[in-house]
Amino acid sequence: MRPPQDAWFSVAGRAGRESRRPAPSRAGRGHRKHHHRQEGHRPPPLLLVLAWATLFQSPDEGWQVYTSAQAPDGKCLCTAVIPVQGTCSRDLRSRQLRQLMEKVQNISQSMEVLDLRTYRDLQYVRNTESLMKGLDSRLKVATESQKSLNAKSFQELKDKMTELLPLIPVLDQYKADTRTIVQLKEEVRNLSGSLLAIQEEMGAYDYEELQQRVLVLEARLHACMQKLGCGKLTGVSNPITIRASGSRFGSWMTDTMAPSADSRVWYMDGYYKGRRVLEFRTLNDFVTGQNFVQHLLPHPWAGTGHVVFNGSLYYNKYQSNVAVKYHFRSRSVLVQRSLSGAGYNNTFPYSWGGFSDIDFMVDENGLWAVYTTNQNAGNIVVSRVDPHTLEVLRSWDTGYPKRSAGEAFMICGTLYVTNSHLAGAKIYFAYYTNTSSYEYTDIPFHNQYSHISMLDYNPRERVLYTWNNGHQVLYNVTLFHVIKTSGEL
């Protein structure tokens, strides 16, 4: 389908069971925005605007356009719910057809049983036919000449009657089978009516053809979405609780650079002096608490701001501002380096404390460290870090006081900060490293268990990982994209 020249579309995926409200047409609801350079002009009309929400969705939801509106400039704005998985298997008519096929199969099996039983009983009736003829002739003789009926002939007649007694249950079975056939005829009549109703609803279209067309469009849409680069955060889904385990504070994560087949999960309980890291083989193993190996770090950690990036764990060494890179496969420290001037030991933590002075993050652009220094007067500093040497490549002073931040995470080079770690928190502040500018935002953030001590974005899965009061929780994110279109979508 080719969009009209002046049409704009907002396409969003949905995860979990979010409310059916339209995605915002602008990125967040900024109160005011500060730039160090002028904003770019509005893109030309022939563009496709996409909002992307990822992974972890309710398995029974399908495609649906759930709202449409008119933008202030008069352009058409549509919002659709588009899941990651295929939807034809969840379509209502598809379910109805599957149910009808199951009924047809059951009827076929019943008819096969009836056929076998009828064949068996018919053979038995044929075998007893000679007995019945013999008995009939003897009864005629006895009727015509009662004087010839002596004790011997009477006993013979009685014996013949006894031989025919097994025929009675066979005839009873015939009666039962007759009732079954009536029921099967009624079910076939109902099936015919259901098929006719589906045919009328579908009209002149062939359902198999429609199904194939939808699958092709789905594949092309998701291929397009996979090619999308960075976007601006416009929404966070409701929380999806994966597991409840551990203490009130901790961190858990997957490798942001691992291939899709690698679904290992790392688990670090506690916020200081810990050294034990559990590595689970899959997310399912993590949920059940099975199939894990243990790594014992040579240096204890501080805080919960750890990340796993390309097979290594990056964390803050306890009672220091030293960053440590620990390689899981070799079980050794590859490099450690001090973050010059960075506060540590609860000097500049997040609002919840917990030795959260230094927070490592990974996004589409690579490895980051978030901390603060005395020179920055306690304001958050964002630094790009070389993942091989842990050398700081560039730093930005955001101007936002770290002790006023509940938690923070990076998406596409933008630092997003929550205003609290408790219930009622929201994503309140965004700092854009690409423009060295910031804005105050108002993005709702449902803090289900009322105490977040870890919040990290995973660019591979495009979800937020959180540790919330002893619960390991995921959030899907919606990113706002603008991409040029060429040809049909």
Side-chain angles (χ1 to χ4, degrees), residues 289-427:
Q290 300 174 343
N291 296 325
F292 65 87
V293 296
Q294 177 177 287
H295 300 268
L296 194 62
L297 301 178
H299 309 295
W301 70 69
T304 58
H306 330 298
V307 293
V308 175
F309 181 63
N310 200 22
S312 295
L313 173 71
Y314 296 81
Y315 71 97
N316 176 211
K317 185 177 178 181
Y318 179 60
Q319 289 189 330
S320 73
N321 60 8
V322 173
V324 178
K325 177 183 179 180
Y326 175 84
H327 189 243
F328 284 114
R329 180 174 294 180
S330 64
R331 293 179 179 264
S332 62
V333 172
L334 298 185
V335 64
Q336 52 183 321
R337 180 186 292 268
S338 174
L339 294 172
S340 180
Y344 62 93
N345 205 27
N346 268 341
T347 304
F348 297 112
Y350 289 122
S351 60
W352 64 274
F355 297 89
S356 56
D357 302 77
I358 298 174
D359 191 0
F360 291 99
M361 304 175 184
V362 173
D363 72 352
E364 292 80 356
N365 298 326
L367 180 65
W368 303 80
V370 170
Y371 54 92
T372 191
T373 67
N374 286 320
Q375 291 79 6
N376 295 95
N379 293 328
I380 292 177
V381 174
V382 182
S383 293
R384 278 288 307 276
V385 177
D386 187 316
H388 303 291
T389 65
L390 297 182
E391 179 184 0
V392 172
L393 303 176
R394 183 181 173 184
S395 296
W396 293 261
D397 183 351
T398 66
Y400 193 91
K402 193 164 186 287
R403 286 183 175 272
S404 298
E407 270 288 346
F409 55 92
M410 295 289 297
I411 297 180
C412 299
T414 299
L415 178 73
Y416 295 95
V417 181
T418 67
N419 62 345
S420 173
H421 63 283
L422 302 173
K426 61 183 177 181
I427 299 172

Side-chain angles (χ1 to χ4, degrees), residues 114 117-126 167-181:
L114 281 174
R117 195 159 58 209
T118 302
Y119 178 79
R120 179 199 64 193
D121 294 344
L122 183 61
Q123 291 296 113
Y124 183 82
V125 171
R126 286 174 177 172
L167 188 59
I168 296 175
V170 173
L171 296 176
D172 290 338
Q173 185 64 58
Y174 265 126
K175 293 179 182 179
D177 289 346
T178 302
R179 290 192 294 269
T180 302
I181 290 173

Side-chain angles (χ1 to χ4, degrees), residues 153-170:
S153 60
F154 181 79
Q155 184 61 42
E156 290 178 353
L157 186 62
K158 187 178 178 180
D159 291 342
K160 294 293 182 181
M161 291 290 293
T162 303
E163 291 181 20
L164 290 175
L165 286 178
L167 188 59
I168 296 175
V170 173

Side-chain angles (χ1 to χ4, degrees), residues 128-173:
T128 58
E129 185 177 6
S130 60
L131 292 174
M132 294 176 68
K133 288 180 179 180
L135 179 61
D136 182 63
S137 62
R138 286 180 178 272
L139 286 173
K140 286 181 180 180
V141 171
T143 302
E144 293 171 355
S145 178
Q146 295 182 1
K147 293 180 180 180
S148 64
L149 188 64
N150 53 29
K152 182 179 178 182
S153 60
F154 181 79
Q155 184 61 42
E156 290 178 353
L157 186 62
K158 187 178 178 180
D159 291 342
K160 294 293 182 181
M161 291 290 293
T162 303
E163 291 181 20
L164 290 175
L165 286 178
L167 188 59
I168 296 175
V170 173
L171 296 176
D172 290 338
Q173 185 64 58

Side-chain angles (χ1 to χ4, degrees), residues 39-88:
E39 291 187 24
H41 63 280
R42 184 175 67 82
L46 189 56
L47 293 177
L48 176 67
V49 180
L50 290 168
W52 165 271
T54 56
L55 288 176
F56 305 104
Q57 64 186 29
S58 177
D60 58 353
E61 292 176 349
W63 286 36
Q64 54 184 304
V65 177
Y66 63 92
T67 188
S68 61
Q70 192 172 29
D73 57 2
K75 297 186 186 301
C76 176
L77 181 65
C78 299
T79 305
V81 175
I82 301 175
V84 175
Q85 303 297 331
T87 60
C88 288

